[in-house]
Amino acid sequence: RGDQSNREGERRRRRRRMAPEVVVIDCAGHMLGRLASIIAKQLLHGQKVVAVRCEKICVSGGFVRQKMKYERFRRKRHLTAPRKGPYHYKAPAKILWRTIRGMVPHKTHRGALALGRLQAFEGCPAPYDKVKKLVVPEALKVLRLQHGHKYVVLGDLSTAVGWKYGEAIEELEAARMETAKSFWEAKKADLIAMRKASA
């Protein structure tokens, strides 16, 4: 029994040493439920996770069906004092956060600490715009959703139910992409010049 617990502790310490301090996940093109379950497990293992571009997450099912489902969810409220909850978030980042919360024992101390390790954003704000971002192959739409099946992008669904910042996020993302493109062109030119100089 003692040897087994020692081995478990050693395995946990090794995993902690190997894992980066913060993992930044680019959520674009991922399925909501699959992505949320993988992030939830990582949070419970002690990993800090930052989710960016949450407005590009995909949800399986057609637009009309998903909107009707959200409207049914929205009608669930405290009868005499709706301000007491449940709270119906419209922002894509908060929808992802709430989905992950449902997969974490957030009312325990361990679960609350795990949820505290999560950050979710629409778009890609600084400093994460200049950080290497990862994808989760187990949750990618192109690998997990069968060809021809309907899906809806979370940003479009959020806009349809009252989220007001979709256009602002699109403008900010377009500006960020332009900056990133000019940076990459300059870097590519430098690499070509270095190769020519060393040849």
Side-chain angles (χ1 to χ4, degrees), residues 128-198:
Y128 305 113
D129 54 342
K130 293 181 174 64
V131 172
K132 183 179 178 181
K133 289 170 273 294
L134 306 176
V135 296
V136 182
E138 294 89 344
L140 282 172
K141 178 186 78 71
V142 290
L143 299 177
R144 289 294 161 194
L145 191 67
Q146 212 166 2
H147 179 68
H149 283 208
K150 290 181 181 179
Y151 69 93
V152 59
V153 177
L154 195 55
D156 297 343
L157 180 64
S158 293
T159 302
V161 297
W163 182 53
K164 297 182 292 222
Y165 303 103
E167 285 179 19
I169 293 293
E170 274 179 34
E171 284 173 26
L172 289 167
E173 279 294 282
R176 182 182 71 83
M177 292 288 192
E178 198 58 44
T179 308
K181 188 181 175 185
S182 58
F183 169 79
W184 172 238
E185 291 299 332
K187 186 176 179 180
K188 204 157 55 170
D190 287 347
L191 286 168
I192 290 164
M194 281 167 67
R195 278 201 202 112
K196 280 181 181 173
S198 62

Side-chain angles (χ1 to χ4, degrees), residues 7 10 28 57 63 66 143-144:
R7 277 199 301 274
E10 183 57 40
I57 290 173
F63 179 79
Q66 290 301 333
L143 299 177
R144 289 294 161 194

Side-chain angles (χ1 to χ4, degrees), residues 42-57:
Q42 290 301 313
L43 293 171
L44 288 166
H45 282 161
Q47 180 66 61
K48 288 181 183 173
V49 177
V50 176
V52 295
R53 294 175 75 198
C54 291
E55 75 282 0
K56 300 285 184 191
I57 290 173

Side-chain angles (χ1 to χ4, degrees), residues 96-146:
L96 175 67
W97 179 87
R98 197 180 199 277
T99 308
I100 293 166
R101 189 187 72 175
M103 300 178 181
V104 168
H106 66 280
K107 293 188 179 184
T108 65
H109 180 65
R110 172 172 168 261
L113 288 176
L115 207 56
R117 294 185 200 107
L118 172 68
Q119 284 184 294
F121 299 102
E122 293 90 16
C124 193
Y128 305 113
D129 54 342
K130 293 181 174 64
V131 172
K132 183 179 178 181
K133 289 170 273 294
L134 306 176
V135 296
V136 182
E138 294 89 344
L140 282 172
K141 178 186 78 71
V142 290
L143 299 177
R144 289 294 161 194
L145 191 67
Q146 212 166 2

